[in-house]
Amino acid sequence: GNMSSRKGLNGACSVHEYTGSFIGQSAHFKMTSVCGHVMTLDFIGKYNSWDKVDPAELFSKAPTEKKEANPKLTMVKFLQVEGRGCDCIVLWLDCDKEGENICFEVLDAVLPVMNKPRSTERTIYRAKFSSITDTDICNAMNHLGEPNRNEALSVDARQELDLRIGCAFTRFQTKYFQGKYGNLDSSLISFGPCQTPTLGFCVERHDKIQSFKPETYWVLQAKVNPEKESSLTLDWDRVRVFDREIAQMFLNITKMAKEAKVESVSKKEKVKQRPLALNTVEMLRVASAALGMGPQHAMQIAERLYTQGYISYPRTETTHYPENFDLKGCLRQQANNPYWAETVKALLSEGINRPRKGHDAGDHPPITPMRAATEAELGGDGWRLYEYITRHFIATVSADCKYLQTTISFSIGPERFTCIGKVVTSPGFTGIMPWHSIPLEESLPHCEKGDLFPIGEIKLLEKQTSPPDYLTEAELITLMEKHGIGTDASIPVHINNICQRNYVTVESGRRLKPTNLGIVLVHGYYKIDAELVLPTIRSAVEKQLNLIALGKANYHQVLEHTLDIFKRKFHYFVDSIAGMDELMEVSFSPLAATGKPLSRCGKCHRFMKYIQAKPSRLHCSHCDDTYSLPQNGTIKLYKELRCPLDDFELVLWSSGSRGKSYPLCPYCYNHPPFRDMKKGMGCNECTHPTCQHSLSMLGIGQCVECENGVLVLDSTSGPKWKMACNKCNVIVHFFENAHKVRVSPETCDLCDAALVDVDFNKAKSPLPGDETQHSGCIFCDPVFQDLVELKHAAMRHPMHRGGQGKRQGRGRGKGRRPGGRLNPKKPKDKMAALAAYFV
């Protein structure tokens, strides 16, 4: 039928319209999508101030509110514009708890503007699907249900618990320790109800390694020669002994024997079972251990494969296929791939094996390939993950691997030795998963009970017990699943967080080695309150959240009870913080002993020290004051110039030669001097009317990309002059090799931007007639237009398209704006693949 597609008003989501039938009636459809959560939970404004709010208030006093998750997308307005006048809504969000929660966020936005239903008329429908295929989509449309309020509430509860508990502990310990130590090398000392037990597992393994004491042991090794040219190594039945003299005694006894006697020969047919169907946790384990992909990265790739229709929904705890699942249909899709075509065709002709009975969590079928793909289509990591998922699926419907195990038992004197050999009789699933195959071994000699073999040698081997290695990501995922820390969806996030916070580093083999900070934090929690780091309490909370989802527990009671427990723990933690501080003192240096002298304090005129470790800051040991600085760049002294307001020496922040730079006063940056300024503003946003470094003196014009930014001259950038937006990352290069560039007090008649006075070098002047000086508007002046180059910007300035039209301005440096509002950067439309089925 006819269909029309267009972009929505937020520029991010497409809207597809068509006419069809819905529940037996003719209907006009609108199909669109959202970009993840519509709303996010946060404290109301004043409680977001770290300085003015006691963290203890965050447990109960501080009110929370739902805010738009991404205000730039104006998602609520977009949904209301599209939903206005509609009679029914069908929700096609992801079919998990988070998706259910987003359903209700969408409903909150659109129900007020939809047509009011008649008394008993049903208007809200929920589609349940596990993959984006014709069959699944049509089936979901024919069996529409309702959104699950309880599952959505369990997500609300988790969000509120994580926000209140995480923020309270994080704010307290960050402020406490960053105010005392200079080399913590982490901009945030965060606590999370799931994140901290995750770190606890890594530190627990580190402690085992540190406390490990190697022990020496001895092993008796015998070799027999069944034939002249061959030898067979036997394993000692006692395995090992830890006493040297006893080991020597066994060696002496066995050396007296000249031959080894066969005591028994047994042959058994054994089976190596095919794998269970693939769930999220197993996929993440294999991605880390075998493919070298971090869990977060693997999950992002899996989500992309899903939205493109290559695999089924990648967030599932289930390892059991439902009886009606079309296994053969999925297998037929793979019949032409050169890597496994033969295996697939053989399975289809001989008949497939029913997959092993796994665990049914009642959410989604296991992760399954839904359509064929090639390496060229998916490329790189996408193909590697898809290939593993496909091989795993084919293995689940293949036969088990069968092999014959021969065990020969020998006696040498009174001591027993054994030799084991394996011969594969039917490779089964190991044909498609060769890394699981039985290793090839030398075949054992044919022998019977009572046979005698000459002894080649008997010797004593001295060995040592070795410590365990650091946890791999795969082992950590296993521990988290076993102890109920996080969900299949959140496990990658928690592992990523402890890496981002500099609590662990990822070593070779994707092993997680705790840093000094990670170790001290966990030891501190153990010292004060072990339950903050042990998995037990979070595991109990997860069970309560699951009961909310099942409708068996009250949302408000669970929330109140859990917050009450953690509030008591928080007060005890605050009272006992000295215990953790003692550990910190041993590992980290106090602020006064850290950093190097950089700029002078405006109060005592002594040098303040620049602490480079995250978060970089300035500390005056004489006044005992610490001043935060902008992060992720370099800081240096700015020509020994001083702020006219407080006499502090200015410093220059720079993000590199290709980035932007601006001066700032350390005191003003932390204590805004004017009402229209906020904490964290440099001189390029300062509204001082006469200071030579301020926005008032160096601001040129409205930013060409963002709404509120002003382009400010970077007076340190010569001879490669540039101006940069004081809000976004737009940089404008101009007047290369000019001798001097100055912002004039006069403004342009056309666009209200400040005029610029430029003094060029005589030898390199681009001006006509050997002139070296020119004054004009960089947007409107034809002499300047070719000398201006925009970087990091999606659009050029409107005035560069011929300079027509006069724009309205509001005074210099106050945000003159281009003719039309420019759209924000467009995120990818996540559910575009799903929408395609309805158009």
PDB file of all heavy atoms in Angstrom, residues 599-625:
ATOM      1  N   SER A 599      50.984  28.744  40.228  1.00  0.00           N
ATOM      2  CA  SER A 599      50.540  30.148  40.195  1.00  0.00           C
ATOM      3  C   SER A 599      50.325  30.657  41.616  1.00  0.00           C
ATOM      4  O   SER A 599      50.175  29.861  42.544  1.00  0.00           O
ATOM      5  CB  SER A 599      49.241  30.255  39.403  1.00  0.00           C
ATOM      6  OG  SER A 599      48.204  29.581  40.082  1.00  0.00           O
ATOM      7  N   ARG A 600      50.276  31.986  41.745  1.00  0.00           N
ATOM      8  CA  ARG A 600      50.193  32.575  43.084  1.00  0.00           C
ATOM      9  C   ARG A 600      48.746  32.722  43.552  1.00  0.00           C
ATOM     10  O   ARG A 600      47.861  33.065  42.778  1.00  0.00           O
ATOM     11  CB  ARG A 600      50.875  33.955  43.107  1.00  0.00           C
ATOM     12  CG  ARG A 600      52.382  33.865  43.002  1.00  0.00           C
ATOM     13  CD  ARG A 600      53.021  35.235  43.128  1.00  0.00           C
ATOM     14  NE  ARG A 600      54.446  35.180  42.849  1.00  0.00           N
ATOM     15  CZ  ARG A 600      55.370  34.935  43.770  1.00  0.00           C
ATOM     16  NH1 ARG A 600      55.005  34.711  45.023  1.00  0.00           N
ATOM     17  NH2 ARG A 600      56.646  34.895  43.453  1.00  0.00           N
ATOM     18  N   CYS A 601      48.578  32.484  44.846  1.00  0.00           N
ATOM     19  CA  CYS A 601      47.280  32.643  45.498  1.00  0.00           C
ATOM     20  C   CYS A 601      47.018  34.141  45.674  1.00  0.00           C
ATOM     21  O   CYS A 601      47.929  34.900  46.022  1.00  0.00           O
ATOM     22  CB  CYS A 601      47.319  31.934  46.849  1.00  0.00           C
ATOM     23  SG  CYS A 601      45.933  32.321  47.925  1.00  0.00           S
ATOM     24  N   GLY A 602      45.783  34.568  45.453  1.00  0.00           N
ATOM     25  CA  GLY A 602      45.443  35.992  45.592  1.00  0.00           C
ATOM     26  C   GLY A 602      45.314  36.426  47.031  1.00  0.00           C
ATOM     27  O   GLY A 602      45.326  37.625  47.328  1.00  0.00           O
ATOM     28  N   LYS A 603      45.197  35.456  47.959  1.00  0.00           N
ATOM     29  CA  LYS A 603      45.022  35.814  49.378  1.00  0.00           C
ATOM     30  C   LYS A 603      46.369  35.981  50.077  1.00  0.00           C
ATOM     31  O   LYS A 603      46.594  36.970  50.766  1.00  0.00           O
ATOM     32  CB  LYS A 603      44.205  34.734  50.087  1.00  0.00           C
ATOM     33  CG  LYS A 603      42.780  34.576  49.564  1.00  0.00           C
ATOM     34  CD  LYS A 603      42.083  33.432  50.288  1.00  0.00           C
ATOM     35  CE  LYS A 603      40.689  33.166  49.731  1.00  0.00           C
ATOM     36  NZ  LYS A 603      40.058  32.007  50.379  1.00  0.00           N
ATOM     37  N   CYS A 604      47.272  34.977  49.917  1.00  0.00           N
ATOM     38  CA  CYS A 604      48.539  35.038  50.666  1.00  0.00           C
ATOM     39  C   CYS A 604      49.730  35.332  49.752  1.00  0.00           C
ATOM     40  O   CYS A 604      50.857  35.496  50.234  1.00  0.00           O
ATOM     41  CB  CYS A 604      48.778  33.712  51.395  1.00  0.00           C
ATOM     42  SG  CYS A 604      49.030  32.324  50.276  1.00  0.00           S
ATOM     43  N   HIS A 605      49.497  35.371  48.435  1.00  0.00           N
ATOM     44  CA  HIS A 605      50.529  35.649  47.430  1.00  0.00           C
ATOM     45  C   HIS A 605      51.670  34.636  47.425  1.00  0.00           C
ATOM     46  O   HIS A 605      52.735  34.895  46.901  1.00  0.00           O
ATOM     47  CB  HIS A 605      51.068  37.088  47.573  1.00  0.00           C
ATOM     48  CG  HIS A 605      49.994  38.103  47.377  1.00  0.00           C
ATOM     49  ND1 HIS A 605      49.418  38.366  46.155  1.00  0.00           N
ATOM     50  CD2 HIS A 605      49.337  38.900  48.275  1.00  0.00           C
ATOM     51  CE1 HIS A 605      48.469  39.278  46.291  1.00  0.00           C
ATOM     52  NE2 HIS A 605      48.374  39.626  47.563  1.00  0.00           N
ATOM     53  N   ARG A 606      51.419  33.467  48.027  1.00  0.00           N
ATOM     54  CA  ARG A 606      52.397  32.374  47.925  1.00  0.00           C
ATOM     55  C   ARG A 606      52.004  31.491  46.740  1.00  0.00           C
ATOM     56  O   ARG A 606      50.866  31.518  46.281  1.00  0.00           O
ATOM     57  CB  ARG A 606      52.424  31.551  49.212  1.00  0.00           C
ATOM     58  CG  ARG A 606      53.068  32.268  50.388  1.00  0.00           C
ATOM     59  CD  ARG A 606      52.992  31.365  51.619  1.00  0.00           C
ATOM     60  NE  ARG A 606      53.810  31.839  52.721  1.00  0.00           N
ATOM     61  CZ  ARG A 606      53.447  32.768  53.590  1.00  0.00           C
ATOM     62  NH1 ARG A 606      52.262  33.333  53.478  1.00  0.00           N
ATOM     63  NH2 ARG A 606      54.250  33.126  54.568  1.00  0.00           N
ATOM     64  N   PHE A 607      52.952  30.653  46.285  1.00  0.00           N
ATOM     65  CA  PHE A 607      52.650  29.770  45.159  1.00  0.00           C
ATOM     66  C   PHE A 607      51.678  28.662  45.561  1.00  0.00           C
ATOM     67  O   PHE A 607      51.822  28.050  46.624  1.00  0.00           O
ATOM     68  CB  PHE A 607      53.940  29.135  44.613  1.00  0.00           C
ATOM     69  CG  PHE A 607      54.640  30.015  43.626  1.00  0.00           C
ATOM     70  CD1 PHE A 607      55.811  30.679  43.967  1.00  0.00           C
ATOM     71  CD2 PHE A 607      54.120  30.190  42.348  1.00  0.00           C
ATOM     72  CE1 PHE A 607      56.462  31.507  43.054  1.00  0.00           C
ATOM     73  CE2 PHE A 607      54.760  31.009  41.434  1.00  0.00           C
ATOM     74  CZ  PHE A 607      55.929  31.674  41.781  1.00  0.00           C
ATOM     75  N   MET A 608      50.710  28.423  44.698  1.00  0.00           N
ATOM     76  CA  MET A 608      49.816  27.280  44.877  1.00  0.00           C
ATOM     77  C   MET A 608      50.386  26.113  44.068  1.00  0.00           C
ATOM     78  O   MET A 608      51.050  26.324  43.038  1.00  0.00           O
ATOM     79  CB  MET A 608      48.406  27.598  44.370  1.00  0.00           C
ATOM     80  CG  MET A 608      47.736  28.722  45.121  1.00  0.00           C
ATOM     81  SD  MET A 608      45.980  28.867  44.714  1.00  0.00           S
ATOM     82  CE  MET A 608      46.045  29.449  43.028  1.00  0.00           C
ATOM     83  N   LYS A 609      50.089  24.894  44.535  1.00  0.00           N
ATOM     84  CA  LYS A 609      50.617  23.715  43.820  1.00  0.00           C
ATOM     85  C   LYS A 609      49.571  23.162  42.853  1.00  0.00           C
ATOM     86  O   LYS A 609      48.390  23.063  43.193  1.00  0.00           O
ATOM     87  CB  LYS A 609      51.021  22.644  44.822  1.00  0.00           C
ATOM     88  CG  LYS A 609      52.349  22.949  45.506  1.00  0.00           C
ATOM     89  CD  LYS A 609      52.803  21.777  46.346  1.00  0.00           C
ATOM     90  CE  LYS A 609      54.231  21.979  46.825  1.00  0.00           C
ATOM     91  NZ  LYS A 609      54.662  20.855  47.675  1.00  0.00           N
ATOM     92  N   TYR A 610      50.057  22.803  41.661  1.00  0.00           N
ATOM     93  CA  TYR A 610      49.183  22.216  40.642  1.00  0.00           C
ATOM     94  C   TYR A 610      49.242  20.690  40.782  1.00  0.00           C
ATOM     95  O   TYR A 610      50.300  20.088  40.640  1.00  0.00           O
ATOM     96  CB  TYR A 610      49.641  22.657  39.250  1.00  0.00           C
ATOM     97  CG  TYR A 610      48.941  21.939  38.112  1.00  0.00           C
ATOM     98  CD1 TYR A 610      47.548  21.771  38.110  1.00  0.00           C
ATOM     99  CD2 TYR A 610      49.659  21.434  37.025  1.00  0.00           C
ATOM    100  CE1 TYR A 610      46.912  21.125  37.071  1.00  0.00           C
ATOM    101  CE2 TYR A 610      49.023  20.788  35.977  1.00  0.00           C
ATOM    102  CZ  TYR A 610      47.658  20.633  36.001  1.00  0.00           C
ATOM    103  OH  TYR A 610      47.030  19.984  34.973  1.00  0.00           O
ATOM    104  N   ILE A 611      48.095  20.088  41.108  1.00  0.00           N
ATOM    105  CA  ILE A 611      48.027  18.625  41.265  1.00  0.00           C
ATOM    106  C   ILE A 611      47.479  18.056  39.961  1.00  0.00           C
ATOM    107  O   ILE A 611      46.329  18.287  39.592  1.00  0.00           O
ATOM    108  CB  ILE A 611      47.124  18.255  42.464  1.00  0.00           C
ATOM    109  CG1 ILE A 611      47.760  18.791  43.743  1.00  0.00           C
ATOM    110  CG2 ILE A 611      46.906  16.751  42.555  1.00  0.00           C
ATOM    111  CD1 ILE A 611      46.796  19.011  44.869  1.00  0.00           C
ATOM    112  N   GLN A 612      48.330  17.291  39.257  1.00  0.00           N
ATOM    113  CA  GLN A 612      47.971  16.821  37.919  1.00  0.00           C
ATOM    114  C   GLN A 612      47.065  15.592  37.949  1.00  0.00           C
ATOM    115  O   GLN A 612      46.259  15.387  37.052  1.00  0.00           O
ATOM    116  CB  GLN A 612      49.238  16.491  37.135  1.00  0.00           C
ATOM    117  CG  GLN A 612      49.304  17.273  35.848  1.00  0.00           C
ATOM    118  CD  GLN A 612      50.639  17.114  35.154  1.00  0.00           C
ATOM    119  OE1 GLN A 612      51.666  17.004  35.789  1.00  0.00           O
ATOM    120  NE2 GLN A 612      50.607  17.109  33.841  1.00  0.00           N
ATOM    121  N   ALA A 613      47.205  14.759  39.007  1.00  0.00           N
ATOM    122  CA  ALA A 613      46.407  13.523  39.080  1.00  0.00           C
ATOM    123  C   ALA A 613      44.922  13.882  39.087  1.00  0.00           C
ATOM    124  O   ALA A 613      44.528  14.909  39.631  1.00  0.00           O
ATOM    125  CB  ALA A 613      46.766  12.745  40.342  1.00  0.00           C
ATOM    126  N   LYS A 614      44.103  13.023  38.485  1.00  0.00           N
ATOM    127  CA  LYS A 614      42.652  13.293  38.418  1.00  0.00           C
ATOM    128  C   LYS A 614      42.064  13.383  39.813  1.00  0.00           C
ATOM    129  O   LYS A 614      42.407  12.573  40.657  1.00  0.00           O
ATOM    130  CB  LYS A 614      41.954  12.170  37.649  1.00  0.00           C
ATOM    131  CG  LYS A 614      42.075  12.299  36.155  1.00  0.00           C
ATOM    132  CD  LYS A 614      41.227  11.226  35.507  1.00  0.00           C
ATOM    133  CE  LYS A 614      41.339  11.267  34.000  1.00  0.00           C
ATOM    134  NZ  LYS A 614      40.603  10.176  33.376  1.00  0.00           N
ATOM    135  N   PRO A 615      41.155  14.330  40.066  1.00  0.00           N
ATOM    136  CA  PRO A 615      40.829  15.461  39.213  1.00  0.00           C
ATOM    137  C   PRO A 615      41.877  16.549  39.400  1.00  0.00           C
ATOM    138  O   PRO A 615      42.218  16.877  40.536  1.00  0.00           O
ATOM    139  CB  PRO A 615      39.467  15.908  39.770  1.00  0.00           C
ATOM    140  CG  PRO A 615      39.532  15.534  41.221  1.00  0.00           C
ATOM    141  CD  PRO A 615      40.419  14.336  41.331  1.00  0.00           C
ATOM    142  N   SER A 616      42.415  17.103  38.314  1.00  0.00           N
ATOM    143  CA  SER A 616      43.476  18.111  38.444  1.00  0.00           C
ATOM    144  C   SER A 616      42.908  19.331  39.188  1.00  0.00           C
ATOM    145  O   SER A 616      41.760  19.720  38.974  1.00  0.00           O
ATOM    146  CB  SER A 616      44.010  18.504  37.072  1.00  0.00           C
ATOM    147  OG  SER A 616      42.974  18.944  36.244  1.00  0.00           O
ATOM    148  N   ARG A 617      43.739  19.925  40.081  1.00  0.00           N
ATOM    149  CA  ARG A 617      43.285  21.062  40.881  1.00  0.00           C
ATOM    150  C   ARG A 617      44.483  21.824  41.426  1.00  0.00           C
ATOM    151  O   ARG A 617      45.624  21.353  41.352  1.00  0.00           O
ATOM    152  CB  ARG A 617      42.402  20.578  42.045  1.00  0.00           C
ATOM    153  CG  ARG A 617      42.991  19.479  42.914  1.00  0.00           C
ATOM    154  CD  ARG A 617      41.854  18.603  43.447  1.00  0.00           C
ATOM    155  NE  ARG A 617      42.249  17.665  44.488  1.00  0.00           N
ATOM    156  CZ  ARG A 617      42.733  16.455  44.252  1.00  0.00           C
ATOM    157  NH1 ARG A 617      42.957  16.054  43.023  1.00  0.00           N
ATOM    158  NH2 ARG A 617      43.020  15.628  45.245  1.00  0.00           N
ATOM    159  N   LEU A 618      44.220  23.007  41.967  1.00  0.00           N
ATOM    160  CA  LEU A 618      45.272  23.824  42.598  1.00  0.00           C
ATOM    161  C   LEU A 618      45.052  23.807  44.102  1.00  0.00           C
ATOM    162  O   LEU A 618      43.913  23.865  44.565  1.00  0.00           O
ATOM    163  CB  LEU A 618      45.209  25.264  42.085  1.00  0.00           C
ATOM    164  CG  LEU A 618      45.759  25.514  40.675  1.00  0.00           C
ATOM    165  CD1 LEU A 618      45.341  26.897  40.196  1.00  0.00           C
ATOM    166  CD2 LEU A 618      47.279  25.402  40.640  1.00  0.00           C
ATOM    167  N   HIS A 619      46.164  23.730  44.867  1.00  0.00           N
ATOM    168  CA  HIS A 619      46.038  23.704  46.327  1.00  0.00           C
ATOM    169  C   HIS A 619      47.004  24.710  46.945  1.00  0.00           C
ATOM    170  O   HIS A 619      48.199  24.718  46.641  1.00  0.00           O
ATOM    171  CB  HIS A 619      46.352  22.295  46.850  1.00  0.00           C
ATOM    172  CG  HIS A 619      46.291  22.205  48.350  1.00  0.00           C
ATOM    173  ND1 HIS A 619      45.115  22.298  49.062  1.00  0.00           N
ATOM    174  CD2 HIS A 619      47.282  22.044  49.276  1.00  0.00           C
ATOM    175  CE1 HIS A 619      45.379  22.189  50.352  1.00  0.00           C
ATOM    176  NE2 HIS A 619      46.682  22.039  50.513  1.00  0.00           N
ATOM    177  N   CYS A 620      46.448  25.577  47.795  1.00  0.00           N
ATOM    178  CA  CYS A 620      47.298  26.515  48.540  1.00  0.00           C
ATOM    179  C   CYS A 620      47.474  25.946  49.946  1.00  0.00           C
ATOM    180  O   CYS A 620      46.507  25.908  50.724  1.00  0.00           O
ATOM    181  CB  CYS A 620      46.645  27.893  48.599  1.00  0.00           C
ATOM    182  SG  CYS A 620      47.613  29.049  49.603  1.00  0.00           S
ATOM    183  N   SER A 621      48.684  25.485  50.248  1.00  0.00           N
ATOM    184  CA  SER A 621      48.896  24.839  51.551  1.00  0.00           C
ATOM    185  C   SER A 621      48.891  25.870  52.681  1.00  0.00           C
ATOM    186  O   SER A 621      48.566  25.542  53.820  1.00  0.00           O
ATOM    187  CB  SER A 621      50.212  24.058  51.552  1.00  0.00           C
ATOM    188  OG  SER A 621      51.262  24.861  51.091  1.00  0.00           O
ATOM    189  N   HIS A 622      49.214  27.141  52.374  1.00  0.00           N
ATOM    190  CA  HIS A 622      49.230  28.166  53.419  1.00  0.00           C
ATOM    191  C   HIS A 622      47.804  28.502  53.863  1.00  0.00           C
ATOM    192  O   HIS A 622      47.502  28.583  55.050  1.00  0.00           O
ATOM    193  CB  HIS A 622      49.944  29.425  52.908  1.00  0.00           C
ATOM    194  CG  HIS A 622      50.074  30.490  53.953  1.00  0.00           C
ATOM    195  ND1 HIS A 622      49.190  31.553  54.043  1.00  0.00           N
ATOM    196  CD2 HIS A 622      50.963  30.644  54.969  1.00  0.00           C
ATOM    197  CE1 HIS A 622      49.532  32.312  55.061  1.00  0.00           C
ATOM    198  NE2 HIS A 622      50.623  31.795  55.637  1.00  0.00           N
ATOM    199  N   CYS A 623      46.895  28.691  52.884  1.00  0.00           N
ATOM    200  CA  CYS A 623      45.490  29.006  53.216  1.00  0.00           C
ATOM    201  C   CYS A 623      44.667  27.734  53.410  1.00  0.00           C
ATOM    202  O   CYS A 623      43.509  27.799  53.840  1.00  0.00           O
ATOM    203  CB  CYS A 623      44.842  29.819  52.099  1.00  0.00           C
ATOM    204  SG  CYS A 623      45.722  31.325  51.675  1.00  0.00           S
ATOM    205  N   ASP A 624      45.235  26.578  53.052  1.00  0.00           N
ATOM    206  CA  ASP A 624      44.546  25.282  53.080  1.00  0.00           C
ATOM    207  C   ASP A 624      43.257  25.329  52.246  1.00  0.00           C
ATOM    208  O   ASP A 624      42.191  24.902  52.676  1.00  0.00           O
ATOM    209  CB  ASP A 624      44.240  24.840  54.521  1.00  0.00           C
ATOM    210  CG  ASP A 624      43.893  23.342  54.578  1.00  0.00           C
ATOM    211  OD1 ASP A 624      44.264  22.618  53.634  1.00  0.00           O
ATOM    212  OD2 ASP A 624      43.225  22.906  55.534  1.00  0.00           O
ATOM    213  N   ASP A 625      43.380  25.881  51.035  1.00  0.00           N
ATOM    214  CA  ASP A 625      42.243  25.944  50.104  1.00  0.00           C
ATOM    215  C   ASP A 625      42.571  25.143  48.852  1.00  0.00           C
ATOM    216  O   ASP A 625      43.720  25.126  48.398  1.00  0.00           O
ATOM    217  CB  ASP A 625      41.970  27.399  49.683  1.00  0.00           C
ATOM    218  CG  ASP A 625      41.272  28.185  50.789  1.00  0.00           C
ATOM    219  OD1 ASP A 625      40.543  27.555  51.574  1.00  0.00           O
ATOM    220  OD2 ASP A 625      41.480  29.411  50.870  1.00  0.00           O
TER     221      ASP A 625
END
